[in-house]
Amino acid sequence: MRRLRYGEAIREAFMYLLDHDPKVFVIGQGLWSPWYVGSSMTDLDKLYGPERIMDSPVSELACTGAAVGAALCGYRPIVVHPRMDFLLYAMDSIVNQAAKWAHMLGGQAHPAVTVRSIINRGGEQGAQHSQALHAWFAHVPGLRVVMPATPEDARDLLIAAVWCDDPVLYVDDRWLYELEEDVGDVTVRSLAEESPKVRRHGTDVTLVGAGYSTRLCMEAAKQLTLDGIEAEVVDLRVLNPLSIEVPAESVARTGRLCVVDGGWRTCGLAGEVMASVLERTGPRVMRAAPKRVTLPDAPAPTSRVLEEAYYPNVDTVVRAVKELF
Amino acid sequence: MSVQMHLGVLADPSRGSEPVDIRGEDPGALRAYLRKMVLIRRAEEIIGDRVASGEVRTPCHLAIGQEAIAVGVSASLRPTDRVFGAHRSHSHYLALGGDLEALFAEVLGRDSGCSRGMGGSMHLYAGHVGFLGSVPIVAGTVPLAVGAALAARKDGRGDIAVAYFGDGAAEEGAVHESFNLAALWKLPVLFVCENNLFSSHLHISLRQPGDRVARFAEAHGMEARTVDGNDVVAVARTVRELVGRLRRGEGPAMIEAVTYRWRGHVGPREDDDVGVNRSRDLVLWRRRDPVRRLADAMASARLLDEESFAELQTQVAEEVRDAWARAEKAPWPPREALLSRVYWHGRGQ
Ligand SMILES: Cc1ncc(C[n+]2csc(CCOP(=O)(O)OP(=O)(O)O)c2C)c(N)n1
Ligand SMILES: [Mg+2]
């Protein structure tokens, strides 16, 4: 065991992949700048050279499409989008092409491409530099979506994503980069077998999150003990395909559910989790109507006073959970 | 005809530091250019200072060193034209006559800001002077300007649209689709490329096989000019001619103005930003200062003396200081603003 930060864990995953797999290369904006992608890729260009760490023009569509094409020809490229907002130019390559390729061509070919997309919000950046659109992508069959919440997952799920034979959207979050935890050695996992995990055991209520929202759930759970509430925290980890067994089994025991998500409310991840859990458990186990904590259905503002009200925080989660009792 | 890929001397920082050629220009217009450039510079300097001190938090991309372009372009525009900007648009907004205090209030996140505190530095609006919006998604507004030109043609009053974008934006497919559409439909849109040779940390030589962006417009059969972007008179003359063509319905045009930003990609730092040290080139580019070059030319022509230039700078500095002081006292947006503007229907004020 050793201590590792989330941002550095991502960097270790890149190094592991580049060391172990000559078919891996990386394209994206900012890869030669120490500033663009936080601590998560520092100096990789110096270690592996510009042929494998390719900084790119401002061309999200062409870069993503090119990665899909190279993947169809046997490579395992990773495209990096320093902000999820930028990747909207690349929607076609991801949604129409990569996600559907295997299915629409009769299961004969498959792009093993990884699209890494960073949620980068706050700091008065506003409507086009703040979005967390993971739920949109989790809606698309054929596209695996992972959202790590811990340093160990940040590392091991990136490795699993790249070595997965399907296209994967890997979503990390700048708000997690400084999170430091104990990690073991690299474990090579098959992404298809990864599912939600209970991060904290409790008996009174189930909190479900993914990525940064899992951290909010963990912090809220700590605070809730002061009120005598023992919360169980489930970290989804993989949003698509969504495996509902672990959260449903937890809710069957606790009888209460609060889903926390950094995306919008309507047609979002939180609603999907609530529906899937309830379909599985039936209404009778529920001791209270389920709750969700999400962004309000509005674009991100800039002014600090509005930004403070916009993003859910630990207190928002604690308050929502208390209303279940 | 072979494609001209490179800018040549225009991109050479050791060239082009001489006073600009003002022959035949109206002295009043020259004084107005000078004042506007000084205003933009001073306004961005104070914003930069307040970013450094932590008072301003919204990401600010400063156009210090590039003032001549917006000023030269705006000289031929009227309030019914439709102008769109990008992430580095304080200069576009101010050159058109956007309110100074409202700009400051916006970067401070106040209710009296030009976007009511919802947008910050990267989302500016001043509809009454023809500034229809700026956004940070690179190339995001270029197709919108094409649509605004389509609307202008339908309106039939000779108005035009303007799309400001950078050399980096020229790498987005959206720009090339927009060029084709505008050229095919002969729309009155002026594409203004501020080629400052950089897209954040990457020099254009690492991003494109040539550094001359006008080649893309030429490939669509568009009238395109490449000029010294630090020469306000050259920009203004070129735009005057191109805008004349646009208003007469002769199809779209492009001006590529070659320049250099003096500050980092984002924020106030001078040469060491996003991991790039540009200090050697910056020293040379500072000698191509668009403000100094116009002031020197005017001085030689006895249109300006050191004293009146100093006075102009003092006046502008006071104007900026006062506007800042007022903006700082402005109230924050009300909490309802979080939701009340999402839909136009049923909106709050
Ligand atoms: C779609 C998209 N991709 C990437 C970015 C990140 N980004 C912001 S500004 C910028 C540089 C653009 O360069 P250029 O168009 O030359 O404008 P300049 O900054 O030089 O004024 C980049 C890459 C973005 N904002 N939007
Ligand atoms: Mg540029």
Side-chain angles (χ1 to χ4, degrees), chain A residues 80-132:
Chain A
V80 178
H81 293 284
R83 265 172 213 287
M84 207 165 212
D85 317 67
F86 304 163
L87 138 149
L88 299 191
Y89 274 136
M91 281 309 252
D92 178 71
S93 297
I94 300 168
V95 177
N96 281 329
Q97 313 307 336
K100 296 178 175 54
W101 204 263
H103 181 78
M104 72 188 176
L105 298 181
Q108 304 178 85
H110 59 97
V113 63
T114 301
V115 179
R116 175 183 171 210
S117 164
I118 305 176
I119 298 173
N120 185 351
R121 59 199 153 160
E124 302 191 20
Q125 300 182 91
Q128 299 185 346
H129 273 45
S130 302
Q131 296 173 90

Short mmCIF file of all heavy atoms in Angstrom, two decimals, chain A residues 80-132:
data_model
loop_
_atom_site.label_atom_id
_atom_site.label_comp_id
_atom_site.label_asym_id
_atom_site.label_seq_id
_atom_site.Cartn_x
_atom_site.Cartn_y
_atom_site.Cartn_z
N VAL A 80 -7.89 12.40 -25.66
CA VAL A 80 -8.11 13.18 -24.44
C VAL A 80 -8.83 14.48 -24.79
O VAL A 80 -8.37 15.25 -25.63
CB VAL A 80 -6.76 13.51 -23.74
CG1 VAL A 80 -7.00 14.35 -22.50
CG2 VAL A 80 -6.03 12.22 -23.40
N HIS A 81 -9.96 14.69 -24.15
CA HIS A 81 -10.66 15.97 -24.27
C HIS A 81 -10.58 16.66 -22.92
O HIS A 81 -11.19 16.21 -21.96
CB HIS A 81 -12.13 15.75 -24.66
CG HIS A 81 -12.29 15.19 -26.05
ND1 HIS A 81 -12.12 15.96 -27.17
CD2 HIS A 81 -12.54 13.94 -26.48
CE1 HIS A 81 -12.31 15.21 -28.25
NE2 HIS A 81 -12.56 13.98 -27.87
N PRO A 82 -9.83 17.75 -22.85
CA PRO A 82 -9.58 18.40 -21.55
C PRO A 82 -10.85 18.92 -20.88
O PRO A 82 -10.82 19.24 -19.70
CB PRO A 82 -8.66 19.57 -21.89
CG PRO A 82 -8.16 19.32 -23.26
CD PRO A 82 -9.12 18.42 -23.94
N ARG A 83 -11.90 19.00 -21.62
CA ARG A 83 -13.20 19.37 -21.06
C ARG A 83 -14.27 18.63 -21.82
O ARG A 83 -14.22 18.54 -23.04
CB ARG A 83 -13.50 20.83 -21.34
CG ARG A 83 -13.15 21.76 -20.31
CD ARG A 83 -13.34 23.15 -20.87
NE ARG A 83 -12.37 24.02 -20.27
CZ ARG A 83 -12.46 24.43 -19.01
NH1 ARG A 83 -13.49 24.11 -18.28
NH2 ARG A 83 -11.53 25.18 -18.51
N MET A 84 -15.26 18.19 -21.06
CA MET A 84 -16.35 17.48 -21.71
C MET A 84 -17.08 18.37 -22.72
O MET A 84 -17.57 17.90 -23.74
CB MET A 84 -17.33 17.03 -20.64
CG MET A 84 -18.06 15.82 -21.06
SD MET A 84 -18.85 15.08 -19.66
CE MET A 84 -18.75 13.38 -20.15
N ASP A 85 -17.13 19.67 -22.45
CA ASP A 85 -17.82 20.60 -23.36
C ASP A 85 -17.21 20.56 -24.76
O ASP A 85 -17.92 20.76 -25.75
CB ASP A 85 -17.71 22.03 -22.82
CG ASP A 85 -17.94 22.11 -21.32
OD1 ASP A 85 -17.11 21.58 -20.56
OD2 ASP A 85 -18.95 22.68 -20.90
N PHE A 86 -15.89 20.34 -24.86
CA PHE A 86 -15.24 20.38 -26.17
C PHE A 86 -15.59 19.17 -27.00
O PHE A 86 -15.52 19.19 -28.23
CB PHE A 86 -13.71 20.45 -26.03
CG PHE A 86 -13.21 21.60 -25.21
CD1 PHE A 86 -11.92 21.60 -24.71
CD2 PHE A 86 -14.02 22.69 -24.92
CE1 PHE A 86 -11.43 22.65 -23.95
CE2 PHE A 86 -13.56 23.75 -24.15
CZ PHE A 86 -12.25 23.72 -23.67
N LEU A 87 -15.91 18.09 -26.32
CA LEU A 87 -16.12 16.84 -27.04
C LEU A 87 -17.44 16.82 -27.81
O LEU A 87 -17.66 15.93 -28.61
CB LEU A 87 -15.96 15.70 -26.04
CG LEU A 87 -16.79 14.48 -25.93
CD1 LEU A 87 -15.90 13.40 -25.43
CD2 LEU A 87 -17.88 14.68 -24.95
N LEU A 88 -18.23 17.85 -27.62
CA LEU A 88 -19.50 17.87 -28.36
C LEU A 88 -19.26 17.96 -29.87
O LEU A 88 -20.06 17.49 -30.65
CB LEU A 88 -20.39 19.01 -27.88
CG LEU A 88 -20.79 18.90 -26.41
CD1 LEU A 88 -21.87 19.90 -26.07
CD2 LEU A 88 -21.25 17.50 -26.04
N TYR A 89 -18.14 18.56 -30.26
CA TYR A 89 -17.80 18.57 -31.69
C TYR A 89 -17.53 17.15 -32.21
O TYR A 89 -17.50 16.93 -33.41
CB TYR A 89 -16.54 19.41 -31.92
CG TYR A 89 -16.76 20.90 -32.11
CD1 TYR A 89 -15.92 21.81 -31.46
CD2 TYR A 89 -17.73 21.40 -32.97
CE1 TYR A 89 -16.08 23.18 -31.65
CE2 TYR A 89 -17.89 22.76 -33.15
CZ TYR A 89 -17.07 23.66 -32.50
OH TYR A 89 -17.22 25.00 -32.69
N ALA A 90 -17.27 16.23 -31.30
CA ALA A 90 -16.88 14.87 -31.71
C ALA A 90 -18.02 13.87 -31.55
O ALA A 90 -17.80 12.66 -31.61
CB ALA A 90 -15.67 14.42 -30.90
N MET A 91 -19.22 14.37 -31.34
CA MET A 91 -20.34 13.47 -31.07
C MET A 91 -20.52 12.40 -32.14
O MET A 91 -20.80 11.25 -31.85
CB MET A 91 -21.65 14.26 -30.94
CG MET A 91 -21.83 14.93 -29.61
SD MET A 91 -21.61 13.82 -28.23
CE MET A 91 -23.28 13.63 -27.68
N ASP A 92 -20.40 12.77 -33.38
CA ASP A 92 -20.65 11.79 -34.43
C ASP A 92 -19.69 10.60 -34.33
O ASP A 92 -20.11 9.45 -34.39
CB ASP A 92 -20.54 12.43 -35.82
CG ASP A 92 -20.76 11.39 -36.89
OD1 ASP A 92 -21.91 10.94 -37.03
OD2 ASP A 92 -19.78 10.98 -37.54
N SER A 93 -18.41 10.90 -34.15
CA SER A 93 -17.42 9.82 -34.09
C SER A 93 -17.72 8.88 -32.93
O SER A 93 -17.49 7.67 -33.02
CB SER A 93 -16.02 10.39 -33.91
OG SER A 93 -15.69 11.17 -35.02
N ILE A 94 -18.20 9.44 -31.83
CA ILE A 94 -18.44 8.62 -30.64
C ILE A 94 -19.78 7.89 -30.75
O ILE A 94 -19.86 6.67 -30.60
CB ILE A 94 -18.42 9.49 -29.37
CG1 ILE A 94 -17.05 10.16 -29.22
CG2 ILE A 94 -18.74 8.66 -28.13
CD1 ILE A 94 -17.01 11.26 -28.17
N VAL A 95 -20.83 8.66 -31.02
CA VAL A 95 -22.18 8.10 -30.90
C VAL A 95 -22.60 7.34 -32.17
O VAL A 95 -23.11 6.22 -32.09
CB VAL A 95 -23.20 9.23 -30.59
CG1 VAL A 95 -24.62 8.69 -30.55
CG2 VAL A 95 -22.84 9.89 -29.26
N ASN A 96 -22.39 7.93 -33.32
CA ASN A 96 -22.81 7.26 -34.56
C ASN A 96 -21.83 6.20 -35.02
O ASN A 96 -22.24 5.18 -35.58
CB ASN A 96 -22.98 8.27 -35.70
CG ASN A 96 -24.30 9.01 -35.62
OD1 ASN A 96 -25.29 8.47 -35.14
ND2 ASN A 96 -24.31 10.24 -36.07
N GLN A 97 -20.55 6.47 -34.83
CA GLN A 97 -19.56 5.54 -35.38
C GLN A 97 -19.11 4.52 -34.34
O GLN A 97 -19.48 3.36 -34.40
CB GLN A 97 -18.37 6.32 -35.97
CG GLN A 97 -18.74 7.50 -36.87
CD GLN A 97 -19.71 7.15 -37.99
OE1 GLN A 97 -19.81 6.00 -38.44
NE2 GLN A 97 -20.46 8.14 -38.46
N ALA A 98 -18.30 4.96 -33.38
CA ALA A 98 -17.67 4.00 -32.47
C ALA A 98 -18.70 3.12 -31.76
O ALA A 98 -18.57 1.89 -31.73
CB ALA A 98 -16.82 4.74 -31.45
N ALA A 99 -19.73 3.74 -31.22
CA ALA A 99 -20.67 2.98 -30.38
C ALA A 99 -21.43 1.93 -31.19
O ALA A 99 -21.85 0.91 -30.65
CB ALA A 99 -21.66 3.94 -29.71
N LYS A 100 -21.62 2.16 -32.46
CA LYS A 100 -22.48 1.27 -33.25
C LYS A 100 -21.72 0.31 -34.15
O LYS A 100 -22.31 -0.58 -34.74
CB LYS A 100 -23.41 2.14 -34.10
CG LYS A 100 -24.35 2.97 -33.24
CD LYS A 100 -25.25 3.86 -34.05
CE LYS A 100 -26.27 4.57 -33.18
NZ LYS A 100 -25.69 5.32 -32.05
N TRP A 101 -20.44 0.53 -34.28
CA TRP A 101 -19.68 -0.18 -35.30
C TRP A 101 -19.85 -1.70 -35.21
O TRP A 101 -20.18 -2.37 -36.21
CB TRP A 101 -18.20 0.20 -35.20
CG TRP A 101 -17.49 0.00 -36.49
CD1 TRP A 101 -16.74 -1.08 -36.86
CD2 TRP A 101 -17.49 0.90 -37.62
NE1 TRP A 101 -16.26 -0.92 -38.13
CE2 TRP A 101 -16.70 0.29 -38.62
CE3 TRP A 101 -18.07 2.14 -37.88
CZ2 TRP A 101 -16.49 0.89 -39.87
CZ3 TRP A 101 -17.85 2.73 -39.10
CH2 TRP A 101 -17.08 2.11 -40.09
N ALA A 102 -19.64 -2.26 -34.05
CA ALA A 102 -19.67 -3.72 -33.91
C ALA A 102 -21.05 -4.25 -34.26
O ALA A 102 -21.19 -5.22 -35.02
CB ALA A 102 -19.31 -4.11 -32.48
N HIS A 103 -22.07 -3.62 -33.77
CA HIS A 103 -23.44 -4.09 -33.96
C HIS A 103 -23.87 -3.97 -35.42
O HIS A 103 -24.36 -4.92 -36.02
CB HIS A 103 -24.36 -3.26 -33.06
CG HIS A 103 -25.80 -3.63 -33.12
ND1 HIS A 103 -26.30 -4.75 -32.46
CD2 HIS A 103 -26.84 -3.07 -33.77
CE1 HIS A 103 -27.60 -4.83 -32.69
NE2 HIS A 103 -27.96 -3.82 -33.49
N MET A 104 -23.67 -2.81 -36.01
CA MET A 104 -24.24 -2.58 -37.34
C MET A 104 -23.49 -3.30 -38.44
O MET A 104 -24.00 -3.45 -39.54
CB MET A 104 -24.35 -1.07 -37.62
CG MET A 104 -23.05 -0.36 -37.88
SD MET A 104 -23.35 1.43 -37.96
CE MET A 104 -21.67 2.01 -38.14
N LEU A 105 -22.27 -3.76 -38.12
CA LEU A 105 -21.55 -4.54 -39.12
C LEU A 105 -21.52 -6.02 -38.73
O LEU A 105 -20.60 -6.76 -39.09
CB LEU A 105 -20.15 -3.97 -39.33
CG LEU A 105 -20.16 -2.51 -39.85
CD1 LEU A 105 -18.75 -2.00 -40.06
CD2 LEU A 105 -20.95 -2.38 -41.15
N GLY A 106 -22.52 -6.40 -38.00
CA GLY A 106 -22.70 -7.83 -37.74
C GLY A 106 -21.69 -8.44 -36.79
O GLY A 106 -21.40 -9.63 -36.86
N GLY A 107 -21.15 -7.62 -35.92
CA GLY A 107 -20.23 -8.16 -34.91
C GLY A 107 -18.91 -8.64 -35.48
O GLY A 107 -18.28 -9.55 -34.95
N GLN A 108 -18.48 -8.03 -36.56
CA GLN A 108 -17.23 -8.49 -37.20
C GLN A 108 -16.04 -7.57 -36.94
O GLN A 108 -14.91 -7.95 -37.24
CB GLN A 108 -17.46 -8.62 -38.70
CG GLN A 108 -18.63 -9.54 -39.02
CD GLN A 108 -18.89 -9.61 -40.52
OE1 GLN A 108 -18.27 -10.39 -41.22
NE2 GLN A 108 -19.78 -8.77 -41.00
N ALA A 109 -16.31 -6.40 -36.45
CA ALA A 109 -15.22 -5.44 -36.22
C ALA A 109 -15.61 -4.57 -35.04
O ALA A 109 -16.80 -4.40 -34.76
CB ALA A 109 -15.01 -4.58 -37.45
N HIS A 110 -14.61 -4.04 -34.34
CA HIS A 110 -14.93 -3.28 -33.13
C HIS A 110 -13.82 -2.29 -32.86
O HIS A 110 -12.65 -2.66 -32.81
CB HIS A 110 -15.08 -4.23 -31.94
CG HIS A 110 -13.85 -5.03 -31.69
ND1 HIS A 110 -12.91 -4.66 -30.77
CD2 HIS A 110 -13.36 -6.14 -32.29
CE1 HIS A 110 -11.91 -5.52 -30.80
NE2 HIS A 110 -12.16 -6.43 -31.72
N PRO A 111 -14.13 -1.01 -32.68
CA PRO A 111 -13.08 -0.05 -32.34
C PRO A 111 -12.79 -0.04 -30.84
O PRO A 111 -13.62 0.38 -30.05
CB PRO A 111 -13.68 1.30 -32.78
CG PRO A 111 -15.15 1.09 -32.73
CD PRO A 111 -15.45 -0.37 -32.86
N ALA A 112 -11.60 -0.48 -30.47
CA ALA A 112 -11.21 -0.48 -29.06
C ALA A 112 -10.59 0.87 -28.74
O ALA A 112 -9.40 0.99 -28.46
CB ALA A 112 -10.24 -1.62 -28.78
N VAL A 113 -11.42 1.90 -28.77
CA VAL A 113 -10.92 3.25 -28.56
C VAL A 113 -11.38 3.73 -27.19
O VAL A 113 -12.46 3.36 -26.72
CB VAL A 113 -11.46 4.19 -29.67
CG1 VAL A 113 -12.98 4.29 -29.65
CG2 VAL A 113 -10.86 5.59 -29.58
N THR A 114 -10.54 4.51 -26.53
CA THR A 114 -10.94 5.10 -25.26
C THR A 114 -10.99 6.62 -25.43
O THR A 114 -10.03 7.23 -25.90
CB THR A 114 -9.92 4.75 -24.15
OG1 THR A 114 -9.86 3.33 -24.04
CG2 THR A 114 -10.34 5.35 -22.81
N VAL A 115 -12.11 7.19 -25.07
CA VAL A 115 -12.25 8.63 -25.10
C VAL A 115 -12.21 9.10 -23.65
O VAL A 115 -13.09 8.77 -22.86
CB VAL A 115 -13.57 9.06 -25.77
CG1 VAL A 115 -13.69 10.58 -25.77
CG2 VAL A 115 -13.67 8.50 -27.18
N ARG A 116 -11.16 9.82 -23.31
CA ARG A 116 -11.07 10.36 -21.95
C ARG A 116 -11.59 11.79 -21.97
O ARG A 116 -11.11 12.63 -22.72
CB ARG A 116 -9.62 10.35 -21.46
CG ARG A 116 -9.49 11.03 -20.12
CD ARG A 116 -8.06 11.11 -19.64
NE ARG A 116 -8.00 11.94 -18.45
CZ ARG A 116 -6.96 12.67 -18.10
NH1 ARG A 116 -5.86 12.66 -18.84
NH2 ARG A 116 -7.00 13.40 -17.02
N SER A 117 -12.55 12.02 -21.11
CA SER A 117 -13.20 13.32 -21.12
C SER A 117 -13.24 13.84 -19.70
O SER A 117 -13.66 13.15 -18.78
CB SER A 117 -14.60 13.08 -21.67
OG SER A 117 -15.41 14.16 -21.40
N ILE A 118 -12.77 15.07 -19.51
CA ILE A 118 -12.60 15.59 -18.16
C ILE A 118 -13.73 16.56 -17.81
O ILE A 118 -14.03 17.46 -18.58
CB ILE A 118 -11.23 16.30 -18.05
CG1 ILE A 118 -10.11 15.34 -18.47
CG2 ILE A 118 -11.01 16.83 -16.64
CD1 ILE A 118 -8.73 15.96 -18.50
N ILE A 119 -14.31 16.33 -16.66
CA ILE A 119 -15.26 17.31 -16.13
C ILE A 119 -14.44 18.39 -15.42
O ILE A 119 -13.65 18.08 -14.53
CB ILE A 119 -16.26 16.67 -15.15
CG1 ILE A 119 -17.10 15.60 -15.86
CG2 ILE A 119 -17.16 17.74 -14.53
CD1 ILE A 119 -18.00 14.81 -14.93
N ASN A 120 -14.62 19.62 -15.87
CA ASN A 120 -13.81 20.72 -15.34
C ASN A 120 -14.75 21.90 -15.13
O ASN A 120 -15.14 22.57 -16.08
CB ASN A 120 -12.71 21.05 -16.35
CG ASN A 120 -11.75 22.11 -15.82
OD1 ASN A 120 -12.00 22.73 -14.78
ND2 ASN A 120 -10.67 22.31 -16.53
N ARG A 121 -15.17 22.11 -13.90
CA ARG A 121 -16.23 23.11 -13.64
C ARG A 121 -15.85 23.96 -12.44
O ARG A 121 -14.81 23.77 -11.82
CB ARG A 121 -17.54 22.37 -13.40
CG ARG A 121 -17.44 21.40 -12.24
CD ARG A 121 -18.52 20.33 -12.23
NE ARG A 121 -17.96 19.17 -11.53
CZ ARG A 121 -18.66 18.21 -10.99
NH1 ARG A 121 -19.95 18.20 -11.10
NH2 ARG A 121 -18.06 17.22 -10.37
N GLY A 122 -16.72 24.89 -12.12
CA GLY A 122 -16.43 25.81 -11.03
C GLY A 122 -15.52 26.93 -11.52
O GLY A 122 -15.25 27.05 -12.72
N GLY A 123 -15.08 27.78 -10.59
CA GLY A 123 -14.15 28.84 -10.95
C GLY A 123 -14.73 29.86 -11.92
O GLY A 123 -14.00 30.44 -12.72
N GLU A 124 -16.04 30.05 -11.87
CA GLU A 124 -16.71 31.06 -12.70
C GLU A 124 -16.41 30.88 -14.18
O GLU A 124 -16.22 31.84 -14.92
CB GLU A 124 -16.30 32.48 -12.24
CG GLU A 124 -16.65 32.73 -10.78
CD GLU A 124 -16.52 34.20 -10.37
OE1 GLU A 124 -16.52 35.07 -11.23
OE2 GLU A 124 -16.44 34.44 -9.15
N GLN A 125 -16.41 29.63 -14.61
CA GLN A 125 -16.12 29.36 -16.03
C GLN A 125 -17.37 29.41 -16.90
O GLN A 125 -17.27 29.56 -18.11
CB GLN A 125 -15.43 28.02 -16.18
CG GLN A 125 -14.12 27.93 -15.42
CD GLN A 125 -13.44 26.60 -15.63
OE1 GLN A 125 -12.63 26.44 -16.53
NE2 GLN A 125 -13.78 25.61 -14.82
N GLY A 126 -18.51 29.18 -16.30
CA GLY A 126 -19.74 29.43 -17.04
C GLY A 126 -20.27 28.27 -17.87
O GLY A 126 -19.76 27.15 -17.84
N ALA A 127 -21.29 28.59 -18.66
CA ALA A 127 -22.16 27.60 -19.28
C ALA A 127 -21.45 26.62 -20.20
O ALA A 127 -21.85 25.46 -20.30
CB ALA A 127 -23.26 28.32 -20.06
N GLN A 128 -20.41 27.06 -20.90
CA GLN A 128 -19.77 26.19 -21.89
C GLN A 128 -18.47 25.57 -21.39
O GLN A 128 -17.76 24.92 -22.16
CB GLN A 128 -19.49 26.98 -23.17
CG GLN A 128 -20.76 27.53 -23.83
CD GLN A 128 -20.47 28.20 -25.15
OE1 GLN A 128 -19.32 28.48 -25.47
NE2 GLN A 128 -21.52 28.46 -25.92
N HIS A 129 -18.17 25.79 -20.15
CA HIS A 129 -16.92 25.25 -19.60
C HIS A 129 -17.18 24.60 -18.24
O HIS A 129 -16.41 24.79 -17.30
CB HIS A 129 -15.87 26.36 -19.44
CG HIS A 129 -15.06 26.61 -20.67
ND1 HIS A 129 -15.60 26.70 -21.92
CD2 HIS A 129 -13.73 26.77 -20.85
CE1 HIS A 129 -14.63 26.93 -22.81
NE2 HIS A 129 -13.50 26.98 -22.19
N SER A 130 -18.26 23.84 -18.15
CA SER A 130 -18.63 23.31 -16.83
C SER A 130 -19.40 22.00 -16.90
O SER A 130 -19.77 21.48 -15.86
CB SER A 130 -19.56 24.32 -16.13
OG SER A 130 -18.94 25.57 -16.00
N GLN A 131 -19.65 21.51 -18.08
CA GLN A 131 -20.69 20.49 -18.17
C GLN A 131 -20.23 19.10 -17.78
O GLN A 131 -19.11 18.70 -18.00
CB GLN A 131 -21.27 20.47 -19.59
CG GLN A 131 -21.97 21.79 -19.91
CD GLN A 131 -22.40 21.88 -21.36
OE1 GLN A 131 -23.50 21.48 -21.71
NE2 GLN A 131 -21.52 22.38 -22.20
N ALA A 132 -21.18 18.36 -17.19
CA ALA A 132 -20.99 16.96 -16.81
C ALA A 132 -22.06 16.17 -17.57
O ALA A 132 -23.18 16.06 -17.11
CB ALA A 132 -21.14 16.80 -15.31
#
